[in-house]
Each structure stands twice: as C-alpha cells, then as structure tokens.
Amino acid sequence: MELAELALTGDLVRPARLTVPDLLRRPQHEVRVSFECATSGVQHHRFTGPRLYDLLADAGPVFDPARRKDRLRFLIAVTGTDGHRALLSWAEIDPDFADAPVLLAVTADGIPLDAAGPQLVLPQDRCGGRHISGITAIRVDGGYGFGAPLPATPGRASAAAP
C-alpha cells in the first residue's frame, strides 16, 4: 500500500513532506462534528489527529515572535487530491487569537486514512465547506505569494487587470 504524502511548504524554517504515520507520531486530539450538508442533510462524524497549529508551529513560521501581531498577516492554503482548496488565517488557529481546534485528521469515524491522506477538519464550520480530503499540500504564506495570477475566466475580470 502506497502512503499518501503532503508537502508542508512556504514561509517556514522547517518545510517537510509528511505521511499519515508521521502525523500519528504527534499528539492526537479527537473532535466530534456535525456538518449541515446541502445535499445530504446533517452529517455526524468523529475525527482524530494532530492540531494544525501544533504542526505548523513546530515547522517554524517565519513571523517575528517578539511582534505579536506580525503573525496576523500569515495565511494557510490547503489543497486536496480532488483539487479542493481552503484558506485559513493564522489567527484562526493561534491560541493567542481564535484558537480554533483545526485538525489534520488521520482517522475518520475510526477508519485510518493512511492511503487516502489526512483530512482538514474545522469543527467550528457549520457546513463543512472547508473540510478538505486527501491533503496534498499546506502552504504558509506571510507575503501572499501564492503564485502567478490565474488566467481570466469568461465573465470575470482578470486577476492581472490594472
């Protein structure tokens, strides 16, 4: 069985490539969530895994720790195997600010996610729209360099337009 791997990149002192077994070696937390799904009604699930904050704090974000508000400019972009993406602010997960218990789940309802990869779980989100399955990448960015502008989509202005 090949293990799914996620790339932890961006403005970090210690970027890494991690698998579910790597995440299992970290302190585990459990959350029970209820998502109000538009198509299938209320869904109840139980997830376990490390907190996103702990993982990213250990990776060494490059904000200035002496300037408490410096970390507020940092964003966290999460990408899944199916192309879904979610964006969080550092303040959402930081214990000095919102302290949301965001997990990188390694089990869902008791089922290990070794092959599928970890899932982003935000228990505070009512509809679960930022729940990302099969995470392939997490990028921490304090300068908003998420890449080149996206090409123009018909009916929308180009991101590169003056």
Side-chain angles (χ1 to χ4, degrees), residues 5-159:
E5 188 175 75
L6 75 87
L8 188 59
T9 64
D11 295 331
L12 300 168
V13 174
R14 292 173 294 283
R17 296 192 75 73
L18 303 167
T19 63
V20 168
D22 295 328
L23 297 173
L24 280 165
R25 287 191 274 281
R26 305 187 61 78
Q28 301 293 296
H29 301 269
E30 180 177 292
V31 295
R32 294 181 183 272
V33 299
S34 296
F35 296 129
E36 293 181 33
C37 300
T39 57
S40 55
V42 177
Q43 300 284 315
H44 301 281
H45 297 286
R46 178 177 49 91
F47 296 97
T48 60
R51 287 185 64 163
L52 179 62
Y53 173 81
D54 296 336
L55 182 74
L56 295 180
D58 288 349
V62 296
F63 49 71
D64 182 352
R67 294 177 49 221
R68 186 171 179 224
K69 289 187 178 181
D70 188 42
R71 67 188 93 165
L72 297 180
R73 66 184 168 89
F74 280 72
L75 298 175
I76 304 159
V78 181
T79 305
T81 54
D82 59 2
H84 281 103
R85 297 176 185 211
L87 189 62
L88 296 89
S89 71
W90 187 271
E92 285 182 84
I93 64 169
D94 192 304
D96 286 342
F97 297 96
D99 197 23
V102 177
L103 291 189
L104 289 179
V106 294
T107 69
D109 298 324
I111 300 169
L113 299 172
D114 292 19
Q119 295 182 12
L120 181 69
V121 177
L122 293 94
Q124 71 278 12
D125 282 7
R126 185 178 57 87
C127 70
R130 293 190 291 173
H131 176 101
I132 303 292
S133 298
I135 297 171
T136 57
I138 299 174
R139 179 172 176 78
V140 176
D141 197 315
Y144 314 117
F146 287 112
L150 296 173
T153 302
R156 293 189 176 179
S158 169

